[in-house]
Amino acid sequence: MSVALRPLEPGDEGAAVRWAADPLFCQAASWTVGLSPRVIRRHWAALIAGTQADFRRWGVTLDARLVGYVDLANLSTLSGELGVAIGERSLWGQGVARRACELLLQEAWELGLHTVTAEVHRPNMRSHALMRRLGFQQCGIRRPEPYYGVPVAVVQYVLKRQDRALSPSSADTRTAG
């Protein structure tokens, strides 16, 4: 299994339209259920154009097939917020998100970021486990927001570059493939 990141490209809108047809994925990723393909294509065209200075998104590929995305939001010169979504539900729990996040963290450190944050809905146990495996530490709780249609607390996480260098899992990041 070869997971990689690549810049978004024209044509990637088709994968997003396919993922948006899955209501379970939409609810898990906080996408609006039932959006028209036209709306999704327009949104992704803007992401591909890269017009937001404080936001970067990469496609996640598995054996060269686009299966999801990772991003850094609220980017500043020192920090950014990690986001990840694997659109192919059959790949959930298979390690694709972990490898994609490891690659994204490498990108973040190469960009010179000192801190990466993340937010996870309290009931999302897989994402909490992922954050811990990546070395993130819980740092707070935010007000509830909808998750699968129900308001739930949002757990905040933080990872500092100097802490990542000391983490036992950081060796995995350099050698995972």
Side-chain angles (χ1 to χ4, degrees):
M1 172 170 74
S2 178
V3 176
L5 301 185
R6 66 161 173 77
L8 293 176
E9 302 170 345
D12 286 347
E13 306 93 333
V17 168
R18 190 175 66 251
W19 305 332
D22 179 354
L24 188 60
F25 166 79
C26 290
Q27 291 175 326
S30 298
W31 286 20
T32 301
V33 175
L35 288 177
S36 74
R38 180 183 52 78
V39 169
I40 294 162
R41 287 180 189 284
R42 187 174 55 223
H43 176 74
W44 273 69
L47 291 173
I48 291 166
T51 57
Q52 293 177 283
D54 67 343
F55 182 84
R56 292 192 56 192
R57 178 170 282 174
W58 292 263
V60 174
T61 62
L62 175 63
D63 301 327
R65 181 174 57 102
L66 186 66
V67 297
Y69 62 86
V70 292
D71 51 49
L72 289 169
N74 304 316
L75 269 170
S76 71
T77 56
L78 298 177
S79 66
E81 181 181 330
L82 177 147
V84 58
I86 302 303
E88 306 290 334
R89 201 164 17 121
S90 64
L91 297 173
W92 292 1
Q94 303 298 312
V96 175
R98 179 180 181 177
R99 182 62 183 138
C101 287
E102 289 170 342
L103 293 168
L104 180 69
L105 288 169
Q106 288 177 2
E107 291 281 343
W109 308 145
E110 288 172 14
L111 288 170
L113 301 186
H114 293 208
T115 304
V116 175
T117 61
E119 295 185 343
V120 177
H121 295 102
R122 187 178 299 275
N124 189 340
M125 292 300 126
R126 279 186 176 162
S127 289
H128 290 289
L130 174 61
M131 293 301 110
R132 287 188 299 274
R133 281 192 303 272
L134 293 169
F136 281 80
Q137 299 295 313
Q138 183 176 331
C139 64
I141 305 287
R142 210 168 52 74
R143 64 179 169 71
E145 64 178 41
Y147 181 67
Y148 288 98
V150 177
V152 299
V154 177
V155 179
Q156 297 174 307
Y157 287 93
V158 64
L159 178 63
K160 296 192 178 289
R161 181 169 49 184
Q162 73 266 15
D163 296 340
R164 179 67 176 167
L166 302 173
S167 167
S169 65
S170 64
D172 297 340
T173 301
R174 289 188 300 273
T175 60

